[in-house]
């Protein structure tokens, strides 16, 4: 997967997370879908706030107004699943 996390040695200054377009779209759709779900009801306010901010950051770069949005999400999910399957088969750790 092409996910990278760059943290300043002083992590409080910020952390940069880099995702592929497919990964970002899958994550965005998950955040939107679960935003009102019961699974979020157990979150503390700070966790809810961070997820809301992440969703908002992704929102500006997602093709939400595309007539093909649903198809784009499904295609992205398939490609990410193939990557995940390939990583699992090769024995790669998710943290690599």
């Amino acid at each position: 997967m092409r996910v990278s996390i760059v943290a300043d040695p002083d992590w409080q200054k910020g952390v940069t997370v880099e995702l592929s377009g497919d990964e970002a779209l899958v994550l965005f759709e998950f955040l939107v879908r679960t935003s009102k779900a019961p699974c979020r009801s157990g979150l503390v306010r700070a966790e809810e706030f961070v997820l809301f901010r992440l969703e908002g950051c992704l929102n500006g770069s997602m093709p939400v107004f595309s007539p093909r949005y649903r198809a784009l999400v499904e295609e992205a999910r398939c490609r990410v699943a193939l990557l995940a399957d390939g990583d699992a088969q090769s024995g790669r750790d998710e943290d690599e």
Side-chain angles (χ1 to χ4, degrees):
M1 287 208 159
R2 294 172 308 273
V3 177
S4 64
I5 299 175
V6 180
D8 189 288
D10 179 5
W11 62 270
Q12 290 180 326
K13 290 183 181 177
V15 175
T16 301
V17 178
E18 188 175 311
L19 303 170
S20 72
D22 285 343
E23 293 160 341
L25 185 54
V26 169
L27 176 59
F28 174 73
E29 184 61 23
F30 170 78
L31 291 170
V32 168
R33 191 178 73 246
T34 62
S35 65
K36 301 294 181 195
C39 65
R40 285 213 188 162
S41 64
L43 298 178
V44 297
R45 183 70 183 131
E47 294 165 340
E48 186 179 332
F49 176 76
V50 170
L51 290 175
F52 179 76
R53 289 208 44 210
L54 181 56
E55 182 183 330
C57 289
L58 289 169
N59 185 49
S61 58
M62 296 295 105
V64 294
F65 296 112
S66 170
R68 293 196 62 244
Y69 180 73
R70 286 277 142 233
L72 293 171
V73 169
E74 287 306 315
E75 291 164 8
R77 284 179 178 152
C78 288
R79 287 188 293 268
V80 170
L82 286 173
L83 287 172
D85 289 346
D87 281 355
Q89 289 175 1
S90 70
R92 290 182 56 189
D93 190 347
E94 290 180 10
D95 293 333
E96 287 184 18

